[in-house]
Each structure stands twice: as structure tokens, then as C-alpha cells.
Amino acid sequence: MSSFKVQYTVDGEDFSIAGDASRKLKKVLQNLGVAPQIIRKATVAMYEGEINMVIHADGGVIDVEITPEKIHIFLRDKGPGIPNVSLAMTEGYSTASDNVRELGFGAGMGLPNMQKYTDYMNITTEVGVGTTIEMIVNTAV
Amino acid sequence: MTVKELAEVLNLEIISKGAQFDATVEGCFAGDLLSLAMSGVQSGDVWVTVQTNVNILGIAALTDAACVLVANGMNIPSEVSAKAAEEGICLLRSGKGAYELCCLIGKSL
């Protein structure tokens, strides 16, 4: 395996299919023979990012590049941006609506989980413009 | 103990057998916040929850849960039952609460 690239478009209006991109990535990684514990890290982190796109940003685009060394994930949205990234990274902090919380989301664990399950994460955000999150999961077990 | 055996012992209602019905149950996780479940449910776990929206199926698939066990007899929308069957997710239900179910599962494993 040299390099494998996939792109997913996340629909911002349909909660019923939120997580589909992460499930598709899981199948891709399984087919490529990536170790189960690495697949879990990548899919947990991507699921949280995907859900955030649906909750906060009206969807977006996810690009994933898989190499023998790492899984490189870019989440790009044109949402409202994150005014205070360090506050958003605090476990338990959430700006999700009550409707979203009733579904079991909005616990303020999304970004912390993304950091916890990745080996590198960088957030680039501008209020009113959008957010790009880069994540890397190393594939060495 | 397999999911099937657990369902018999605990007299669980089978909503969808899925692909894991004969799989071995490895453990148990209880919780209703999806992010906590996403990071807490381990492969082969019974996930006990009162959440019944369609997103529980995504969590179950991504975490390789043995099954989702809906507690307190919560209503499961027909589209969720149908999607569980379609996607091969084992979905069970009990009238008992999460604490009682976890105690019973703990004794059974």
C-alpha cells in the first residue's frame, strides 16, 4: 500500500445519516488491513468531527489519506467558526442546542475525544468563515 | 456467553438479531451520552442505554458492540428497528432499568 485517498461529503441537515462517513472509513481501513485498535482511534476521532459538522456547521467535507505510516484526516466546514478554541477543548463545554442534547449529543466530549484518540490534531478556525481540523493517527501499533 | 444465551437468561426482547447474535459477550457498558459511549463501549460489549434514536446504531457499528440493549422498555421507533435489521446490528430491549440489567449481566458473564 502506498497511499490511498478518500473524500466524504457530510450532510448538515440529516442527523439520521450522521456517522455514515466514519462507518465508510472503517470499512476502507478494514479492507486495507489496518489494525483494529488503530481503526478504532481513527473512527472515534472522525465520528466526533463528523457529528460536530452536523451539529454546528451545516455539514462539510472530510478528506482522508491513508499511508503505511499514518491516517491523515482533514475536516473542513464553512460553519460559524470557534470563537474560543481552548474553551471548546474543555471537557463538558458545549454550545449544542437542547434538541441535539436530547439525542445524546452535546456532552462537550467531541473535541477532547478527537484529541485523545489522535496522535496529532490542529484546529484552524475563523469566526464567520469556517473551521479546518487536521488529525493524524499513526498506524504503527 | 453469547448474546443469544444472554437474551434467553435475561428474557430480553429481540428487536433485531443482527450479525452478532451468536457472538460472545465480552463485557458491558452503560450510558446515554453518545460521546461517552463512543469512547467507552469496547468490542464485544453489551451497551445498555435508554437512547433509541438512529444514532445508537452508528455507535454500535463503529465500536463493534455485541449488541445494544435498550433499558426501561423505551419506545424504539420503527425506522430504527428496520435500520438495525438492515445494517446487521443486534438490538434488544428490556423493561428493567440499566442498573438492574448491568447487575444481571455482571452475574451472567
PDB file of all heavy atoms in Angstrom, chain A residues 62-88:
ATOM      1  N   ILE A  62     -14.833  15.876   4.298  1.00  0.00           N
ATOM      2  CA  ILE A  62     -13.751  15.183   5.008  1.00  0.00           C
ATOM      3  C   ILE A  62     -12.849  14.504   3.978  1.00  0.00           C
ATOM      4  O   ILE A  62     -13.322  13.739   3.133  1.00  0.00           O
ATOM      5  CB  ILE A  62     -14.298  14.117   5.981  1.00  0.00           C
ATOM      6  CG1 ILE A  62     -15.268  14.749   6.985  1.00  0.00           C
ATOM      7  CG2 ILE A  62     -13.142  13.431   6.710  1.00  0.00           C
ATOM      8  CD1 ILE A  62     -15.975  13.735   7.886  1.00  0.00           C
ATOM      9  N   ASP A  63     -11.573  14.818   4.036  1.00  0.00           N
ATOM     10  CA  ASP A  63     -10.582  14.155   3.189  1.00  0.00           C
ATOM     11  C   ASP A  63      -9.697  13.278   4.061  1.00  0.00           C
ATOM     12  O   ASP A  63      -9.218  13.718   5.108  1.00  0.00           O
ATOM     13  CB  ASP A  63      -9.711  15.201   2.463  1.00  0.00           C
ATOM     14  CG  ASP A  63     -10.473  15.883   1.341  1.00  0.00           C
ATOM     15  OD1 ASP A  63     -10.708  15.219   0.315  1.00  0.00           O
ATOM     16  OD2 ASP A  63     -10.865  17.052   1.520  1.00  0.00           O
ATOM     17  N   VAL A  64      -9.487  12.060   3.597  1.00  0.00           N
ATOM     18  CA  VAL A  64      -8.646  11.130   4.354  1.00  0.00           C
ATOM     19  C   VAL A  64      -7.577  10.567   3.431  1.00  0.00           C
ATOM     20  O   VAL A  64      -7.885  10.128   2.320  1.00  0.00           O
ATOM     21  CB  VAL A  64      -9.465   9.963   4.942  1.00  0.00           C
ATOM     22  CG1 VAL A  64      -8.577   9.067   5.801  1.00  0.00           C
ATOM     23  CG2 VAL A  64     -10.645  10.474   5.751  1.00  0.00           C
ATOM     24  N   GLU A  65      -6.337  10.630   3.890  1.00  0.00           N
ATOM     25  CA  GLU A  65      -5.243   9.985   3.162  1.00  0.00           C
ATOM     26  C   GLU A  65      -4.642   8.918   4.063  1.00  0.00           C
ATOM     27  O   GLU A  65      -4.289   9.196   5.215  1.00  0.00           O
ATOM     28  CB  GLU A  65      -4.166  10.997   2.761  1.00  0.00           C
ATOM     29  CG  GLU A  65      -3.063  10.339   1.932  1.00  0.00           C
ATOM     30  CD  GLU A  65      -1.984  11.314   1.466  1.00  0.00           C
ATOM     31  OE1 GLU A  65      -1.967  12.450   1.964  1.00  0.00           O
ATOM     32  OE2 GLU A  65      -1.177  10.918   0.629  1.00  0.00           O
ATOM     33  N   ILE A  66      -4.564   7.719   3.521  1.00  0.00           N
ATOM     34  CA  ILE A  66      -4.039   6.595   4.299  1.00  0.00           C
ATOM     35  C   ILE A  66      -2.726   6.151   3.672  1.00  0.00           C
ATOM     36  O   ILE A  66      -2.677   5.822   2.475  1.00  0.00           O
ATOM     37  CB  ILE A  66      -5.041   5.425   4.305  1.00  0.00           C
ATOM     38  CG1 ILE A  66      -6.395   5.902   4.843  1.00  0.00           C
ATOM     39  CG2 ILE A  66      -4.518   4.266   5.154  1.00  0.00           C
ATOM     40  CD1 ILE A  66      -7.577   5.312   4.131  1.00  0.00           C
ATOM     41  N   THR A  67      -1.674   6.165   4.459  1.00  0.00           N
ATOM     42  CA  THR A  67      -0.366   5.689   4.001  1.00  0.00           C
ATOM     43  C   THR A  67       0.045   4.544   4.930  1.00  0.00           C
ATOM     44  O   THR A  67      -0.613   4.300   5.949  1.00  0.00           O
ATOM     45  CB  THR A  67       0.695   6.809   4.060  1.00  0.00           C
ATOM     46  OG1 THR A  67       0.994   7.068   5.427  1.00  0.00           O
ATOM     47  CG2 THR A  67       0.206   8.070   3.379  1.00  0.00           C
ATOM     48  N   PRO A  68       1.131   3.856   4.632  1.00  0.00           N
ATOM     49  CA  PRO A  68       1.563   2.785   5.547  1.00  0.00           C
ATOM     50  C   PRO A  68       1.888   3.303   6.946  1.00  0.00           C
ATOM     51  O   PRO A  68       1.842   2.545   7.914  1.00  0.00           O
ATOM     52  CB  PRO A  68       2.821   2.229   4.866  1.00  0.00           C
ATOM     53  CG  PRO A  68       2.619   2.534   3.423  1.00  0.00           C
ATOM     54  CD  PRO A  68       1.925   3.866   3.393  1.00  0.00           C
ATOM     55  N   GLU A  69       2.209   4.605   7.049  1.00  0.00           N
ATOM     56  CA  GLU A  69       2.625   5.151   8.350  1.00  0.00           C
ATOM     57  C   GLU A  69       1.515   5.821   9.137  1.00  0.00           C
ATOM     58  O   GLU A  69       1.548   5.867  10.367  1.00  0.00           O
ATOM     59  CB  GLU A  69       3.753   6.186   8.156  1.00  0.00           C
ATOM     60  CG  GLU A  69       5.064   5.620   7.648  1.00  0.00           C
ATOM     61  CD  GLU A  69       5.046   5.391   6.136  1.00  0.00           C
ATOM     62  OE1 GLU A  69       4.320   6.125   5.443  1.00  0.00           O
ATOM     63  OE2 GLU A  69       5.723   4.463   5.662  1.00  0.00           O
ATOM     64  N   LYS A  70       0.519   6.379   8.423  1.00  0.00           N
ATOM     65  CA  LYS A  70      -0.465   7.182   9.161  1.00  0.00           C
ATOM     66  C   LYS A  70      -1.793   7.314   8.416  1.00  0.00           C
ATOM     67  O   LYS A  70      -1.877   7.091   7.204  1.00  0.00           O
ATOM     68  CB  LYS A  70       0.101   8.576   9.436  1.00  0.00           C
ATOM     69  CG  LYS A  70       0.400   9.363   8.176  1.00  0.00           C
ATOM     70  CD  LYS A  70       1.154  10.638   8.506  1.00  0.00           C
ATOM     71  CE  LYS A  70       1.504  11.387   7.227  1.00  0.00           C
ATOM     72  NZ  LYS A  70       2.330  12.576   7.480  1.00  0.00           N
ATOM     73  N   ILE A  71      -2.794   7.708   9.204  1.00  0.00           N
ATOM     74  CA  ILE A  71      -4.101   8.059   8.645  1.00  0.00           C
ATOM     75  C   ILE A  71      -4.247   9.563   8.862  1.00  0.00           C
ATOM     76  O   ILE A  71      -4.241  10.040  10.002  1.00  0.00           O
ATOM     77  CB  ILE A  71      -5.236   7.290   9.349  1.00  0.00           C
ATOM     78  CG1 ILE A  71      -5.008   5.788   9.212  1.00  0.00           C
ATOM     79  CG2 ILE A  71      -6.597   7.698   8.787  1.00  0.00           C
ATOM     80  CD1 ILE A  71      -5.789   4.962  10.214  1.00  0.00           C
ATOM     81  N   HIS A  72      -4.331  10.291   7.762  1.00  0.00           N
ATOM     82  CA  HIS A  72      -4.321  11.759   7.807  1.00  0.00           C
ATOM     83  C   HIS A  72      -5.735  12.245   7.458  1.00  0.00           C
ATOM     84  O   HIS A  72      -6.214  11.999   6.349  1.00  0.00           O
ATOM     85  CB  HIS A  72      -3.310  12.257   6.780  1.00  0.00           C
ATOM     86  CG  HIS A  72      -2.756  13.598   7.089  1.00  0.00           C
ATOM     87  ND1 HIS A  72      -1.585  14.061   6.571  1.00  0.00           N
ATOM     88  CD2 HIS A  72      -3.210  14.592   7.876  1.00  0.00           C
ATOM     89  CE1 HIS A  72      -1.334  15.275   7.017  1.00  0.00           C
ATOM     90  NE2 HIS A  72      -2.312  15.623   7.805  1.00  0.00           N
ATOM     91  N   ILE A  73      -6.375  12.911   8.412  1.00  0.00           N
ATOM     92  CA  ILE A  73      -7.775  13.319   8.224  1.00  0.00           C
ATOM     93  C   ILE A  73      -7.894  14.836   8.248  1.00  0.00           C
ATOM     94  O   ILE A  73      -7.395  15.488   9.170  1.00  0.00           O
ATOM     95  CB  ILE A  73      -8.670  12.719   9.334  1.00  0.00           C
ATOM     96  CG1 ILE A  73      -8.536  11.190   9.365  1.00  0.00           C
ATOM     97  CG2 ILE A  73     -10.135  13.133   9.148  1.00  0.00           C
ATOM     98  CD1 ILE A  73      -9.198  10.535  10.581  1.00  0.00           C
ATOM     99  N   PHE A  74      -8.560  15.384   7.233  1.00  0.00           N
ATOM    100  CA  PHE A  74      -8.863  16.816   7.202  1.00  0.00           C
ATOM    101  C   PHE A  74     -10.380  16.989   7.222  1.00  0.00           C
ATOM    102  O   PHE A  74     -11.077  16.472   6.343  1.00  0.00           O
ATOM    103  CB  PHE A  74      -8.323  17.476   5.929  1.00  0.00           C
ATOM    104  CG  PHE A  74      -6.847  17.752   5.955  1.00  0.00           C
ATOM    105  CD1 PHE A  74      -5.957  16.828   5.419  1.00  0.00           C
ATOM    106  CD2 PHE A  74      -6.347  18.927   6.511  1.00  0.00           C
ATOM    107  CE1 PHE A  74      -4.593  17.079   5.434  1.00  0.00           C
ATOM    108  CE2 PHE A  74      -4.987  19.182   6.529  1.00  0.00           C
ATOM    109  CZ  PHE A  74      -4.103  18.253   5.986  1.00  0.00           C
ATOM    110  N   LEU A  75     -10.874  17.719   8.220  1.00  0.00           N
ATOM    111  CA  LEU A  75     -12.303  18.041   8.285  1.00  0.00           C
ATOM    112  C   LEU A  75     -12.455  19.528   7.990  1.00  0.00           C
ATOM    113  O   LEU A  75     -11.890  20.360   8.698  1.00  0.00           O
ATOM    114  CB  LEU A  75     -12.860  17.727   9.677  1.00  0.00           C
ATOM    115  CG  LEU A  75     -12.649  16.299  10.193  1.00  0.00           C
ATOM    116  CD1 LEU A  75     -11.809  16.314  11.461  1.00  0.00           C
ATOM    117  CD2 LEU A  75     -13.975  15.631  10.478  1.00  0.00           C
ATOM    118  N   ARG A  76     -13.194  19.849   6.918  1.00  0.00           N
ATOM    119  CA  ARG A  76     -13.340  21.254   6.532  1.00  0.00           C
ATOM    120  C   ARG A  76     -14.815  21.629   6.500  1.00  0.00           C
ATOM    121  O   ARG A  76     -15.632  20.924   5.897  1.00  0.00           O
ATOM    122  CB  ARG A  76     -12.733  21.496   5.149  1.00  0.00           C
ATOM    123  CG  ARG A  76     -11.232  21.253   5.073  1.00  0.00           C
ATOM    124  CD  ARG A  76     -10.704  21.597   3.680  1.00  0.00           C
ATOM    125  NE  ARG A  76      -9.260  21.465   3.602  1.00  0.00           N
ATOM    126  CZ  ARG A  76      -8.616  20.335   3.281  1.00  0.00           C
ATOM    127  NH1 ARG A  76      -9.312  19.251   2.996  1.00  0.00           N
ATOM    128  NH2 ARG A  76      -7.296  20.298   3.232  1.00  0.00           N
ATOM    129  N   ASP A  77     -15.127  22.738   7.164  1.00  0.00           N
ATOM    130  CA  ASP A  77     -16.510  23.216   7.099  1.00  0.00           C
ATOM    131  C   ASP A  77     -16.540  24.726   6.913  1.00  0.00           C
ATOM    132  O   ASP A  77     -15.529  25.409   7.096  1.00  0.00           O
ATOM    133  CB  ASP A  77     -17.290  22.802   8.353  1.00  0.00           C
ATOM    134  CG  ASP A  77     -16.859  23.547   9.606  1.00  0.00           C
ATOM    135  OD1 ASP A  77     -16.953  24.790   9.637  1.00  0.00           O
ATOM    136  OD2 ASP A  77     -16.427  22.882  10.566  1.00  0.00           O
ATOM    137  N   LYS A  78     -17.706  25.208   6.503  1.00  0.00           N
ATOM    138  CA  LYS A  78     -17.914  26.639   6.333  1.00  0.00           C
ATOM    139  C   LYS A  78     -18.929  27.123   7.364  1.00  0.00           C
ATOM    140  O   LYS A  78     -19.805  27.942   7.083  1.00  0.00           O
ATOM    141  CB  LYS A  78     -18.397  26.936   4.907  1.00  0.00           C
ATOM    142  CG  LYS A  78     -17.324  26.614   3.866  1.00  0.00           C
ATOM    143  CD  LYS A  78     -17.814  26.861   2.453  1.00  0.00           C
ATOM    144  CE  LYS A  78     -16.710  26.519   1.454  1.00  0.00           C
ATOM    145  NZ  LYS A  78     -17.182  26.591   0.049  1.00  0.00           N
ATOM    146  N   GLY A  79     -18.784  26.598   8.566  1.00  0.00           N
ATOM    147  CA  GLY A  79     -19.685  26.936   9.657  1.00  0.00           C
ATOM    148  C   GLY A  79     -19.311  28.246  10.337  1.00  0.00           C
ATOM    149  O   GLY A  79     -18.556  29.043   9.782  1.00  0.00           O
ATOM    150  N   PRO A  80     -19.827  28.440  11.545  1.00  0.00           N
ATOM    151  CA  PRO A  80     -19.649  29.730  12.231  1.00  0.00           C
ATOM    152  C   PRO A  80     -18.250  29.954  12.815  1.00  0.00           C
ATOM    153  O   PRO A  80     -17.932  31.053  13.253  1.00  0.00           O
ATOM    154  CB  PRO A  80     -20.686  29.660  13.356  1.00  0.00           C
ATOM    155  CG  PRO A  80     -20.827  28.190  13.631  1.00  0.00           C
ATOM    156  CD  PRO A  80     -20.655  27.510  12.307  1.00  0.00           C
ATOM    157  N   GLY A  81     -17.409  28.898  12.792  1.00  0.00           N
ATOM    158  CA  GLY A  81     -16.096  29.038  13.414  1.00  0.00           C
ATOM    159  C   GLY A  81     -16.185  28.859  14.924  1.00  0.00           C
ATOM    160  O   GLY A  81     -17.273  28.839  15.506  1.00  0.00           O
ATOM    161  N   ILE A  82     -15.021  28.731  15.561  1.00  0.00           N
ATOM    162  CA  ILE A  82     -14.973  28.522  17.015  1.00  0.00           C
ATOM    163  C   ILE A  82     -14.350  29.762  17.653  1.00  0.00           C
ATOM    164  O   ILE A  82     -13.159  30.026  17.476  1.00  0.00           O
ATOM    165  CB  ILE A  82     -14.128  27.268  17.357  1.00  0.00           C
ATOM    166  CG1 ILE A  82     -14.665  26.041  16.596  1.00  0.00           C
ATOM    167  CG2 ILE A  82     -14.128  27.014  18.860  1.00  0.00           C
ATOM    168  CD1 ILE A  82     -13.762  24.812  16.680  1.00  0.00           C
ATOM    169  N   PRO A  83     -15.135  30.558  18.379  1.00  0.00           N
ATOM    170  CA  PRO A  83     -14.608  31.818  18.937  1.00  0.00           C
ATOM    171  C   PRO A  83     -13.472  31.609  19.938  1.00  0.00           C
ATOM    172  O   PRO A  83     -12.544  32.419  19.992  1.00  0.00           O
ATOM    173  CB  PRO A  83     -15.830  32.440  19.636  1.00  0.00           C
ATOM    174  CG  PRO A  83     -17.013  31.761  19.048  1.00  0.00           C
ATOM    175  CD  PRO A  83     -16.560  30.381  18.667  1.00  0.00           C
ATOM    176  N   ASN A  84     -13.568  30.558  20.740  1.00  0.00           N
ATOM    177  CA  ASN A  84     -12.555  30.335  21.782  1.00  0.00           C
ATOM    178  C   ASN A  84     -12.178  28.845  21.774  1.00  0.00           C
ATOM    179  O   ASN A  84     -12.866  28.017  22.360  1.00  0.00           O
ATOM    180  CB  ASN A  84     -13.118  30.742  23.151  1.00  0.00           C
ATOM    181  CG  ASN A  84     -12.069  30.673  24.244  1.00  0.00           C
ATOM    182  OD1 ASN A  84     -11.122  29.879  24.165  1.00  0.00           O
ATOM    183  ND2 ASN A  84     -12.225  31.507  25.264  1.00  0.00           N
ATOM    184  N   VAL A  85     -11.087  28.531  21.092  1.00  0.00           N
ATOM    185  CA  VAL A  85     -10.718  27.121  20.893  1.00  0.00           C
ATOM    186  C   VAL A  85     -10.370  26.439  22.217  1.00  0.00           C
ATOM    187  O   VAL A  85     -10.784  25.298  22.466  1.00  0.00           O
ATOM    188  CB  VAL A  85      -9.530  27.001  19.905  1.00  0.00           C
ATOM    189  CG1 VAL A  85      -9.019  25.556  19.842  1.00  0.00           C
ATOM    190  CG2 VAL A  85      -9.955  27.455  18.512  1.00  0.00           C
ATOM    191  N   SER A  86      -9.642  27.134  23.087  1.00  0.00           N
ATOM    192  CA  SER A  86      -9.246  26.484  24.349  1.00  0.00           C
ATOM    193  C   SER A  86     -10.472  26.172  25.201  1.00  0.00           C
ATOM    194  O   SER A  86     -10.535  25.129  25.859  1.00  0.00           O
ATOM    195  CB  SER A  86      -8.247  27.348  25.123  1.00  0.00           C
ATOM    196  OG  SER A  86      -8.822  28.585  25.441  1.00  0.00           O
ATOM    197  N   LEU A  87     -11.470  27.055  25.169  1.00  0.00           N
ATOM    198  CA  LEU A  87     -12.718  26.789  25.900  1.00  0.00           C
ATOM    199  C   LEU A  87     -13.450  25.602  25.266  1.00  0.00           C
ATOM    200  O   LEU A  87     -13.962  24.718  25.965  1.00  0.00           O
ATOM    201  CB  LEU A  87     -13.609  28.032  25.875  1.00  0.00           C
ATOM    202  CG  LEU A  87     -14.898  27.993  26.711  1.00  0.00           C
ATOM    203  CD1 LEU A  87     -14.598  27.746  28.185  1.00  0.00           C
ATOM    204  CD2 LEU A  87     -15.674  29.300  26.543  1.00  0.00           C
ATOM    205  N   ALA A  88     -13.469  25.573  23.931  1.00  0.00           N
ATOM    206  CA  ALA A  88     -14.140  24.473  23.219  1.00  0.00           C
ATOM    207  C   ALA A  88     -13.465  23.132  23.483  1.00  0.00           C
ATOM    208  O   ALA A  88     -14.097  22.076  23.398  1.00  0.00           O
ATOM    209  CB  ALA A  88     -14.165  24.759  21.721  1.00  0.00           C
TER     210      ALA A  88
END
